[in-house]
Amino acid sequence: MIQTIYAEVPREKIIYLERDEFINWKEKSFRNTLTASMSKHGFRDPVYCWYSSKKWGNKIKIIVGNNRMVVAKELNIPIVPAVITNFHADQFPLEGRVLKTDDEIRALFHLPNHKKLHIRRDKNGDIDQVTPPNFPTVQQHYV
């Protein structure tokens, strides 16, 4: 059974990608703006994760929000708001609020009605990606 939930997860329970361009300050303006936003507000949008997928097994893996995780670690933000698609909810249940509709997911975001907030479903109707607007295009709403 596939289930998508909202949960607030300890940062250390999530694995994420540390992109070289972001970590080594090649994207300095983007990083500075994201850091300023998160310093002031924390997470304004949840990250999107997979749990118990074929590729990542029984780990909560960031699919969208890797840069925010890097900044959260630097700022020592301990709890991460996350929308998590659990691919084996019957075998590996996670605690959290079950999300069934796109409106329930949109309500979790700072800009819930933005045309670039994308919720994708697979052929069975299960959520397989949640992507907020590209941060540099909406940063004025976050800082």
Side-chain angles (χ1 to χ4, degrees):
M1 171 177 75
I2 297 174
Q3 186 176 63
T4 298
I5 66 166
Y6 171 78
E8 294 184 353
V9 182
R11 188 185 69 239
E12 65 273 1
K13 293 192 180 259
I14 300 174
I15 58 173
Y16 57 95
L17 173 69
E18 295 180 347
R19 292 184 318 107
D20 184 55
E21 299 85 8
F22 192 75
I23 292 175
N24 293 321
W25 292 93
K26 293 176 186 170
E27 297 174 348
K28 186 175 182 177
S29 176
F30 169 41
R31 185 172 178 159
N32 285 341
T33 305
L34 182 59
T35 300
S37 173
M38 290 182 69
S39 293
K40 184 175 182 180
H41 305 289
F43 281 90
R44 292 199 107 173
D45 294 329
V47 297
Y48 178 67
C49 308
W50 284 355
Y51 180 72
S52 198
S53 67
K54 290 178 184 176
K55 188 171 183 178
W56 300 106
N58 297 331
K59 297 177 180 167
I60 298 173
K61 167 66 175 119
I62 293 284
I63 302 302
V64 177
N66 290 292
N67 295 331
R68 286 179 280 158
M69 291 298 295
V70 170
V71 173
K73 182 178 179 182
E74 289 173 357
L75 297 175
N76 201 29
I77 298 173
I79 301 296
V80 178
V83 173
I84 305 167
T85 296
N86 184 346
F87 289 93
H88 298 285
D90 48 343
Q91 298 168 16
F92 305 103
L94 291 174
E95 294 290 322
R97 179 168 50 105
V98 176
L99 302 170
K100 295 184 180 183
T101 69
D102 290 5
D103 287 341
E104 289 175 316
I105 295 169
R106 287 182 175 283
L108 299 169
F109 285 80
H110 179 60
L111 298 174
N113 298 316
H114 195 282
K115 63 184 177 184
K116 296 286 185 176
L117 174 56
H118 183 69
I119 300 165
R120 187 177 75 186
R121 294 178 179 271
D122 66 14
K123 64 182 178 187
N124 298 317
D126 295 312
I127 295 164
D128 69 357
Q129 186 142 355
V130 177
T131 309
N134 186 344
F135 184 76
T137 67
V138 293
Q139 67 189 14
Q140 70 276 14
H141 300 287
Y142 285 78
V143 180

